[in-house]
mmCIF file of all heavy atoms in Angstrom:
data_model
loop_
_atom_site.group_PDB
_atom_site.id
_atom_site.type_symbol
_atom_site.label_atom_id
_atom_site.label_comp_id
_atom_site.label_asym_id
_atom_site.label_seq_id
_atom_site.Cartn_x
_atom_site.Cartn_y
_atom_site.Cartn_z
ATOM 1 N N LYS A 23 -52.191 28.515 -58.994
ATOM 2 C CA LYS A 23 -52.109 27.169 -59.568
ATOM 3 C C LYS A 23 -50.698 26.853 -60.055
ATOM 4 O O LYS A 23 -50.490 25.835 -60.729
ATOM 5 C CB LYS A 23 -53.094 27.044 -60.739
ATOM 6 C CG LYS A 23 -54.548 27.297 -60.368
ATOM 7 C CD LYS A 23 -55.060 26.297 -59.349
ATOM 8 C CE LYS A 23 -56.552 26.509 -59.078
ATOM 9 N NZ LYS A 23 -57.075 25.581 -58.041
ATOM 10 N N VAL A 24 -49.735 27.699 -59.717
ATOM 11 C CA VAL A 24 -48.349 27.473 -60.126
ATOM 12 C C VAL A 24 -47.837 26.176 -59.491
ATOM 13 O O VAL A 24 -48.023 25.938 -58.295
ATOM 14 C CB VAL A 24 -47.468 28.668 -59.717
ATOM 15 C CG1 VAL A 24 -45.993 28.379 -59.966
ATOM 16 C CG2 VAL A 24 -47.889 29.921 -60.467
ATOM 17 N N HIS A 25 -47.195 25.342 -60.303
ATOM 18 C CA HIS A 25 -46.640 24.091 -59.790
ATOM 19 C C HIS A 25 -45.438 24.344 -58.907
ATOM 20 O O HIS A 25 -44.629 25.246 -59.177
ATOM 21 C CB HIS A 25 -46.189 23.190 -60.947
ATOM 22 C CG HIS A 25 -47.298 22.643 -61.782
ATOM 23 N ND1 HIS A 25 -48.210 21.733 -61.291
ATOM 24 C CD2 HIS A 25 -47.619 22.845 -63.083
ATOM 25 C CE1 HIS A 25 -49.056 21.420 -62.259
ATOM 26 N NE2 HIS A 25 -48.723 22.075 -63.348
ATOM 27 N N VAL A 26 -45.292 23.528 -57.859
ATOM 28 C CA VAL A 26 -44.084 23.501 -57.043
ATOM 29 C C VAL A 26 -43.363 22.199 -57.359
ATOM 30 O O VAL A 26 -43.857 21.102 -57.037
ATOM 31 C CB VAL A 26 -44.402 23.590 -55.535
ATOM 32 C CG1 VAL A 26 -43.111 23.505 -54.715
ATOM 33 C CG2 VAL A 26 -45.139 24.887 -55.230
ATOM 34 N N GLN A 27 -42.228 22.322 -58.016
ATOM 35 C CA GLN A 27 -41.451 21.167 -58.466
ATOM 36 C C GLN A 27 -40.186 21.057 -57.627
ATOM 37 O O GLN A 27 -39.586 22.065 -57.258
ATOM 38 C CB GLN A 27 -41.085 21.338 -59.945
ATOM 39 C CG GLN A 27 -40.367 20.155 -60.577
ATOM 40 C CD GLN A 27 -40.033 20.444 -62.034
ATOM 41 O OE1 GLN A 27 -39.199 21.308 -62.324
ATOM 42 N NE2 GLN A 27 -40.694 19.745 -62.953
ATOM 43 N N VAL A 28 -39.781 19.815 -57.318
ATOM 44 C CA VAL A 28 -38.518 19.574 -56.628
ATOM 45 C C VAL A 28 -37.660 18.646 -57.473
ATOM 46 O O VAL A 28 -38.179 17.761 -58.157
ATOM 47 C CB VAL A 28 -38.719 18.988 -55.221
ATOM 48 C CG1 VAL A 28 -39.348 20.020 -54.287
ATOM 49 C CG2 VAL A 28 -39.564 17.718 -55.257
ATOM 50 N N ASP A 29 -36.341 18.865 -57.429
ATOM 51 C CA ASP A 29 -35.427 18.120 -58.280
ATOM 52 C C ASP A 29 -34.119 17.888 -57.545
ATOM 53 O O ASP A 29 -33.437 18.842 -57.170
ATOM 54 C CB ASP A 29 -35.160 18.927 -59.560
ATOM 55 C CG ASP A 29 -34.230 18.210 -60.531
ATOM 56 O OD1 ASP A 29 -33.814 17.069 -60.256
ATOM 57 O OD2 ASP A 29 -33.926 18.808 -61.580
ATOM 58 N N GLY A 30 -33.794 16.602 -57.358
ATOM 59 C CA GLY A 30 -32.515 16.229 -56.769
ATOM 60 C C GLY A 30 -32.684 15.289 -55.590
ATOM 61 O O GLY A 30 -33.305 15.642 -54.596
ATOM 62 N N GLY A 31 -32.179 14.069 -55.741
ATOM 63 C CA GLY A 31 -32.230 13.115 -54.646
ATOM 64 C C GLY A 31 -33.622 12.594 -54.343
ATOM 65 O O GLY A 31 -33.892 12.152 -53.205
ATOM 66 N N ILE A 32 -34.527 12.607 -55.326
ATOM 67 C CA ILE A 32 -35.898 12.152 -55.087
ATOM 68 C C ILE A 32 -35.984 10.654 -55.364
ATOM 69 O O ILE A 32 -35.704 10.179 -56.469
ATOM 70 C CB ILE A 32 -36.899 12.910 -55.976
ATOM 71 C CG1 ILE A 32 -36.816 14.419 -55.725
ATOM 72 C CG2 ILE A 32 -38.320 12.398 -55.721
ATOM 73 C CD1 ILE A 32 -37.163 14.833 -54.314
ATOM 74 N N ASN A 33 -36.361 9.918 -54.331
ATOM 75 C CA ASN A 33 -36.581 8.473 -54.423
ATOM 76 C C ASN A 33 -37.884 8.157 -53.695
ATOM 77 O O ASN A 33 -38.635 9.078 -53.326
ATOM 78 C CB ASN A 33 -35.388 7.699 -53.842
ATOM 79 C CG ASN A 33 -35.048 8.138 -52.415
ATOM 80 O OD1 ASN A 33 -35.941 8.434 -51.618
ATOM 81 N ND2 ASN A 33 -33.754 8.197 -52.096
ATOM 82 N N ALA A 34 -38.157 6.880 -53.480
ATOM 83 C CA ALA A 34 -39.437 6.512 -52.859
ATOM 84 C C ALA A 34 -39.612 7.152 -51.484
ATOM 85 O O ALA A 34 -40.723 7.559 -51.113
ATOM 86 C CB ALA A 34 -39.545 4.984 -52.753
ATOM 87 N N GLN A 35 -38.526 7.262 -50.712
ATOM 88 C CA GLN A 35 -38.618 7.813 -49.365
ATOM 89 C C GLN A 35 -38.704 9.340 -49.390
ATOM 90 O O GLN A 35 -39.590 9.931 -48.750
ATOM 91 C CB GLN A 35 -37.402 7.375 -48.528
ATOM 92 C CG GLN A 35 -37.370 5.890 -48.185
ATOM 93 C CD GLN A 35 -37.081 5.015 -49.401
ATOM 94 O OE1 GLN A 35 -36.182 5.328 -50.201
ATOM 95 N NE2 GLN A 35 -37.826 3.937 -49.538
ATOM 96 N N THR A 36 -37.796 9.980 -50.117
ATOM 97 C CA THR A 36 -37.815 11.447 -50.124
ATOM 98 C C THR A 36 -39.018 11.996 -50.894
ATOM 99 O O THR A 36 -39.463 13.108 -50.627
ATOM 100 C CB THR A 36 -36.508 12.011 -50.715
ATOM 101 O OG1 THR A 36 -36.319 11.485 -52.042
ATOM 102 C CG2 THR A 36 -35.314 11.636 -49.855
ATOM 103 N N ALA A 37 -39.551 11.210 -51.815
ATOM 104 C CA ALA A 37 -40.764 11.643 -52.518
ATOM 105 C C ALA A 37 -41.900 11.871 -51.532
ATOM 106 O O ALA A 37 -42.637 12.859 -51.636
ATOM 107 C CB ALA A 37 -41.159 10.613 -53.565
ATOM 108 N N ARG A 38 -42.055 10.980 -50.589
ATOM 109 C CA ARG A 38 -43.132 11.128 -49.594
ATOM 110 C C ARG A 38 -42.947 12.424 -48.809
ATOM 111 O O ARG A 38 -43.909 13.148 -48.534
ATOM 112 C CB ARG A 38 -43.142 9.932 -48.643
ATOM 113 C CG ARG A 38 -43.510 8.607 -49.292
ATOM 114 C CD ARG A 38 -43.663 7.527 -48.222
ATOM 115 N NE ARG A 38 -43.921 6.237 -48.807
ATOM 116 C CZ ARG A 38 -43.001 5.352 -49.116
ATOM 117 N NH1 ARG A 38 -41.717 5.635 -48.914
ATOM 118 N NH2 ARG A 38 -43.323 4.181 -49.640
ATOM 119 N N ARG A 39 -41.709 12.702 -48.409
ATOM 120 C CA ARG A 39 -41.431 13.922 -47.641
ATOM 121 C C ARG A 39 -41.721 15.161 -48.491
ATOM 122 O O ARG A 39 -42.309 16.134 -48.005
ATOM 123 C CB ARG A 39 -39.973 13.922 -47.169
ATOM 124 C CG ARG A 39 -39.694 12.860 -46.112
ATOM 125 C CD ARG A 39 -38.194 12.577 -45.987
ATOM 126 N NE ARG A 39 -37.416 13.783 -45.769
ATOM 127 C CZ ARG A 39 -36.092 13.848 -45.931
ATOM 128 N NH1 ARG A 39 -35.423 12.771 -46.341
ATOM 129 N NH2 ARG A 39 -35.455 14.966 -45.706
ATOM 130 N N ALA A 40 -41.322 15.126 -49.751
ATOM 131 C CA ALA A 40 -41.554 16.275 -50.634
ATOM 132 C C ALA A 40 -43.041 16.525 -50.848
ATOM 133 O O ALA A 40 -43.492 17.672 -50.852
ATOM 134 C CB ALA A 40 -40.854 16.036 -51.965
ATOM 135 N N ILE A 41 -43.799 15.458 -51.003
ATOM 136 C CA ILE A 41 -45.248 15.587 -51.193
ATOM 137 C C ILE A 41 -45.887 16.207 -49.957
ATOM 138 O O ILE A 41 -46.733 17.105 -50.051
ATOM 139 C CB ILE A 41 -45.867 14.220 -51.521
ATOM 140 C CG1 ILE A 41 -45.393 13.738 -52.906
ATOM 141 C CG2 ILE A 41 -47.391 14.287 -51.464
ATOM 142 C CD1 ILE A 41 -45.634 12.259 -53.145
ATOM 143 N N ARG A 42 -45.479 15.742 -48.776
ATOM 144 C CA ARG A 42 -46.017 16.281 -47.524
ATOM 145 C C ARG A 42 -45.689 17.764 -47.367
ATOM 146 O O ARG A 42 -46.437 18.501 -46.734
ATOM 147 C CB ARG A 42 -45.513 15.487 -46.325
ATOM 148 C CG ARG A 42 -46.105 14.094 -46.214
ATOM 149 C CD ARG A 42 -45.911 13.520 -44.824
ATOM 150 N NE ARG A 42 -44.501 13.355 -44.486
ATOM 151 C CZ ARG A 42 -43.803 12.247 -44.700
ATOM 152 N NH1 ARG A 42 -44.378 11.192 -45.264
ATOM 153 N NH2 ARG A 42 -42.536 12.174 -44.349
ATOM 154 N N LYS A 43 -44.575 18.186 -47.962
ATOM 155 C CA LYS A 43 -44.184 19.593 -47.869
ATOM 156 C C LYS A 43 -44.864 20.462 -48.924
ATOM 157 O O LYS A 43 -44.673 21.669 -48.931
ATOM 158 C CB LYS A 43 -42.663 19.714 -47.996
ATOM 159 C CG LYS A 43 -41.880 19.121 -46.842
ATOM 160 C CD LYS A 43 -42.144 19.847 -45.536
ATOM 161 C CE LYS A 43 -41.253 19.326 -44.419
ATOM 162 N NZ LYS A 43 -41.511 20.032 -43.134
ATOM 163 N N GLY A 44 -45.627 19.865 -49.809
ATOM 164 C CA GLY A 44 -46.404 20.657 -50.750
ATOM 165 C C GLY A 44 -45.962 20.576 -52.192
ATOM 166 O O GLY A 44 -46.579 21.224 -53.052
ATOM 167 N N ALA A 45 -44.901 19.833 -52.493
ATOM 168 C CA ALA A 45 -44.487 19.684 -53.889
ATOM 169 C C ALA A 45 -45.542 18.909 -54.659
ATOM 170 O O ALA A 45 -46.062 17.906 -54.169
ATOM 171 C CB ALA A 45 -43.147 18.967 -53.972
ATOM 172 N N ASP A 46 -45.848 19.354 -55.879
ATOM 173 C CA ASP A 46 -46.819 18.617 -56.692
ATOM 174 C C ASP A 46 -46.226 18.080 -57.985
ATOM 175 O O ASP A 46 -46.917 17.418 -58.756
ATOM 176 C CB ASP A 46 -48.071 19.461 -56.964
ATOM 177 C CG ASP A 46 -47.812 20.649 -57.869
ATOM 178 O OD1 ASP A 46 -46.678 21.184 -57.845
ATOM 179 O OD2 ASP A 46 -48.722 21.065 -58.593
ATOM 180 N N VAL A 47 -44.932 18.371 -58.239
ATOM 181 C CA VAL A 47 -44.213 17.755 -59.353
ATOM 182 C C VAL A 47 -42.857 17.289 -58.839
ATOM 183 O O VAL A 47 -42.098 18.086 -58.283
ATOM 184 C CB VAL A 47 -44.008 18.710 -60.547
ATOM 185 C CG1 VAL A 47 -43.327 17.978 -61.706
ATOM 186 C CG2 VAL A 47 -45.327 19.316 -61.012
ATOM 187 N N LEU A 48 -42.567 16.018 -59.017
ATOM 188 C CA LEU A 48 -41.307 15.426 -58.570
ATOM 189 C C LEU A 48 -40.460 15.081 -59.780
ATOM 190 O O LEU A 48 -40.907 14.321 -60.640
ATOM 191 C CB LEU A 48 -41.556 14.145 -57.762
ATOM 192 C CG LEU A 48 -42.592 14.201 -56.647
ATOM 193 C CD1 LEU A 48 -42.759 12.813 -56.040
ATOM 194 C CD2 LEU A 48 -42.189 15.202 -55.569
ATOM 195 N N VAL A 49 -39.255 15.627 -59.846
ATOM 196 C CA VAL A 49 -38.312 15.198 -60.876
ATOM 197 C C VAL A 49 -37.552 13.990 -60.324
ATOM 198 O O VAL A 49 -36.945 14.061 -59.259
ATOM 199 C CB VAL A 49 -37.318 16.321 -61.243
ATOM 200 C CG1 VAL A 49 -36.298 15.818 -62.258
ATOM 201 C CG2 VAL A 49 -38.065 17.527 -61.784
ATOM 202 N N MET A 50 -37.619 12.877 -61.052
ATOM 203 C CA MET A 50 -36.953 11.653 -60.613
ATOM 204 C C MET A 50 -35.996 11.188 -61.711
ATOM 205 O O MET A 50 -36.402 11.024 -62.862
ATOM 206 C CB MET A 50 -37.956 10.558 -60.274
ATOM 207 C CG MET A 50 -38.860 10.888 -59.122
ATOM 208 S SD MET A 50 -39.824 9.456 -58.568
ATOM 209 C CE MET A 50 -38.536 8.464 -57.795
ATOM 210 N N GLY A 51 -34.748 10.978 -61.345
ATOM 211 C CA GLY A 51 -33.745 10.530 -62.283
ATOM 212 C C GLY A 51 -33.306 9.110 -62.023
ATOM 213 O O GLY A 51 -33.986 8.157 -62.410
ATOM 214 N N SER A 52 -32.177 8.962 -61.340
ATOM 215 C CA SER A 52 -31.581 7.626 -61.170
ATOM 216 C C SER A 52 -32.486 6.674 -60.413
ATOM 217 O O SER A 52 -32.517 5.479 -60.717
ATOM 218 C CB SER A 52 -30.225 7.746 -60.463
ATOM 219 O OG SER A 52 -30.355 8.478 -59.258
ATOM 220 N N ALA A 53 -33.260 7.169 -59.441
ATOM 221 C CA ALA A 53 -34.143 6.266 -58.685
ATOM 222 C C ALA A 53 -35.210 5.664 -59.576
ATOM 223 O O ALA A 53 -35.578 4.493 -59.402
ATOM 224 C CB ALA A 53 -34.787 7.008 -57.526
ATOM 225 N N LEU A 54 -35.695 6.433 -60.541
ATOM 226 C CA LEU A 54 -36.755 5.943 -61.422
ATOM 227 C C LEU A 54 -36.194 5.167 -62.605
ATOM 228 O O LEU A 54 -36.611 4.052 -62.890
ATOM 229 C CB LEU A 54 -37.608 7.119 -61.916
ATOM 230 C CG LEU A 54 -38.772 6.777 -62.835
ATOM 231 C CD1 LEU A 54 -39.765 5.862 -62.138
ATOM 232 C CD2 LEU A 54 -39.466 8.062 -63.317
ATOM 233 N N LEU A 55 -35.226 5.752 -63.292
ATOM 234 C CA LEU A 55 -34.685 5.084 -64.479
ATOM 235 C C LEU A 55 -33.876 3.848 -64.105
ATOM 236 O O LEU A 55 -33.758 2.917 -64.888
ATOM 237 C CB LEU A 55 -33.838 6.047 -65.309
ATOM 238 C CG LEU A 55 -34.671 6.920 -66.272
ATOM 239 C CD1 LEU A 55 -35.299 8.091 -65.555
ATOM 240 C CD2 LEU A 55 -33.859 7.387 -67.455
ATOM 241 N N GLY A 56 -33.339 3.834 -62.880
ATOM 242 C CA GLY A 56 -32.576 2.674 -62.432
ATOM 243 C C GLY A 56 -33.408 1.615 -61.744
ATOM 244 O O GLY A 56 -32.892 0.563 -61.369
ATOM 245 N N ALA A 57 -34.712 1.875 -61.597
ATOM 246 C CA ALA A 57 -35.581 0.909 -60.909
ATOM 247 C C ALA A 57 -35.828 -0.305 -61.789
ATOM 248 O O ALA A 57 -36.006 -0.177 -63.007
ATOM 249 C CB ALA A 57 -36.910 1.566 -60.550
ATOM 250 N N GLU A 58 -35.850 -1.474 -61.171
ATOM 251 C CA GLU A 58 -36.161 -2.699 -61.909
ATOM 252 C C GLU A 58 -37.579 -2.650 -62.460
ATOM 253 O O GLU A 58 -37.843 -3.132 -63.565
ATOM 254 C CB GLU A 58 -35.976 -3.911 -60.995
ATOM 255 C CG GLU A 58 -36.182 -5.231 -61.686
ATOM 256 C CD GLU A 58 -35.865 -6.419 -60.804
ATOM 257 O OE1 GLU A 58 -35.195 -6.249 -59.769
ATOM 258 O OE2 GLU A 58 -36.305 -7.545 -61.145
ATOM 259 N N ASP A 59 -38.476 -2.055 -61.675
ATOM 260 C CA ASP A 59 -39.874 -1.927 -62.094
ATOM 261 C C ASP A 59 -40.309 -0.487 -61.874
ATOM 262 O O ASP A 59 -40.903 -0.154 -60.840
ATOM 263 C CB ASP A 59 -40.746 -2.895 -61.291
ATOM 264 C CG ASP A 59 -42.184 -2.953 -61.798
ATOM 265 O OD1 ASP A 59 -42.585 -2.062 -62.580
ATOM 266 O OD2 ASP A 59 -42.913 -3.893 -61.410
ATOM 267 N N PRO A 60 -40.025 0.411 -62.815
ATOM 268 C CA PRO A 60 -40.384 1.822 -62.602
ATOM 269 C C PRO A 60 -41.882 2.045 -62.463
ATOM 270 O O PRO A 60 -42.312 2.954 -61.747
ATOM 271 C CB PRO A 60 -39.811 2.520 -63.842
ATOM 272 C CG PRO A 60 -39.597 1.448 -64.852
ATOM 273 C CD PRO A 60 -39.303 0.200 -64.084
ATOM 274 N N ALA A 61 -42.698 1.234 -63.111
ATOM 275 C CA ALA A 61 -44.153 1.386 -62.976
ATOM 276 C C ALA A 61 -44.584 1.130 -61.540
ATOM 277 O O ALA A 61 -45.451 1.838 -61.004
ATOM 278 C CB ALA A 61 -44.875 0.442 -63.936
ATOM 279 N N ALA A 62 -43.991 0.134 -60.903
ATOM 280 C CA ALA A 62 -44.326 -0.160 -59.506
ATOM 281 C C ALA A 62 -43.894 0.987 -58.597
ATOM 282 O O ALA A 62 -44.600 1.336 -57.639
ATOM 283 C CB ALA A 62 -43.660 -1.460 -59.078
ATOM 284 N N LEU A 63 -42.735 1.584 -58.871
ATOM 285 C CA LEU A 63 -42.269 2.715 -58.075
ATOM 286 C C LEU A 63 -43.225 3.897 -58.226
ATOM 287 O O LEU A 63 -43.570 4.553 -57.238
ATOM 288 C CB LEU A 63 -40.857 3.105 -58.516
ATOM 289 C CG LEU A 63 -40.251 4.347 -57.837
ATOM 290 C CD1 LEU A 63 -40.227 4.190 -56.324
ATOM 291 C CD2 LEU A 63 -38.849 4.594 -58.388
ATOM 292 N N LEU A 64 -43.679 4.171 -59.429
ATOM 293 C CA LEU A 64 -44.633 5.261 -59.627
ATOM 294 C C LEU A 64 -45.953 4.983 -58.919
ATOM 295 O O LEU A 64 -46.549 5.888 -58.327
ATOM 296 C CB LEU A 64 -44.860 5.492 -61.121
ATOM 297 C CG LEU A 64 -43.674 6.092 -61.883
ATOM 298 C CD1 LEU A 64 -43.962 6.128 -63.370
ATOM 299 C CD2 LEU A 64 -43.338 7.477 -61.367
#
């Protein structure tokens, strides 16, 4: 049950790729905090 987390360059597009590869925790920085509507991005 250990989490697989990815960190770096995660945005709406790369998040999909990371999820497909098995990541279950996404660290999001500039793409999320810089989003006009972060709730919509999530």
